[in-house]
Amino acid sequence: MTKKSKQVFVLMGVSGCGKSAVAKQVAYNLDAAFLDGDFLHPKSNILKMRSGTPLNDEDRMPWLSLISNAAFAMSNVNDVSIIICSALKKQYRDIIRGENENVHFIYLKGDYDVIAERLAKRQGHYQKTGMLQSQFDTLEEPTTDENDVYKIDIAQPLVNVVHDTEQVIRSICHCE
């Protein structure tokens, strides 16, 4: 089987769905490049989130363009790249896709109660628990017309979520 190279996977979903934990483990297991999209937020966005104020679309646009550019750059030097980004709206996913033909989204899907419980246990992250409802209000779940989005159910142990995510990536990249 030939290896399909230079693929970028954006792990998406609301805050607390496990993007960071899953992405870091998958990147390690698959020896993939890794970027936390939060690192690309401008200082003003971080300060706004830290104060408990949700970002609006105007805040997000430059950040999403940077993520799209990062996806392009990463795909030029890495066979498999993983980026964390909430990508809550179709419009956001479209910006990240841009002219990148090799971007795929892995949607870590979970219900409000599961994620709220996880967020309550988190420390040291600037996303406040009270902002979860805002994230769910903003979320436009991917539909079947977005054929580059793969859903993973997070209502299972982390090791299973990591396994399912790796299976999606392996099936697309045809890598072992």
Side-chain angles (χ1 to χ4, degrees), residues 20-135:
S20 295
V22 173
K24 288 175 186 173
Q25 189 61 53
V26 169
Y28 177 81
N29 292 350
L30 299 180
D31 194 27
F34 170 77
L35 172 67
D36 186 333
D38 281 347
F39 295 160
L40 299 178
H41 270 296
K43 184 177 180 179
S44 58
N45 284 8
I46 293 170
L47 293 173
K48 192 170 185 178
M49 288 185 285
R50 204 183 271 170
S51 74
T53 305
L55 300 179
N56 59 37
D57 285 351
E58 186 179 334
D59 298 323
R60 288 186 180 99
M61 291 307 138
W63 171 64
L64 293 165
S65 292
L66 288 172
I67 290 174
S68 179
N69 290 340
F72 178 80
M74 291 173 82
S75 72
N76 278 288
V77 295
N78 303 295
D79 286 335
V80 178
S81 299
I82 297 172
I83 299 174
I84 300 170
C85 176
S86 54
L88 297 176
K89 291 184 179 181
K90 183 180 185 302
Q91 163 189 355
Y92 303 166
R93 295 185 290 276
D94 287 344
I95 292 168
I96 295 168
R97 285 179 185 105
E99 296 178 9
N100 298 317
E101 297 176 3
N102 56 348
V103 171
H104 312 272
F105 294 84
I106 299 177
Y107 173 32
L108 301 182
K109 180 177 172 50
D111 68 29
Y112 184 92
D113 292 336
V114 168
I115 295 171
E117 182 179 322
R118 290 180 183 180
L119 272 179
K121 295 176 183 174
R122 276 170 80 173
Q123 296 179 358
H125 191 272
Y126 48 73
Q127 177 69 262
K128 304 294 184 196
T129 306
M131 293 172 65
L132 181 59
Q133 187 60 54
S134 165
Q135 294 248 310

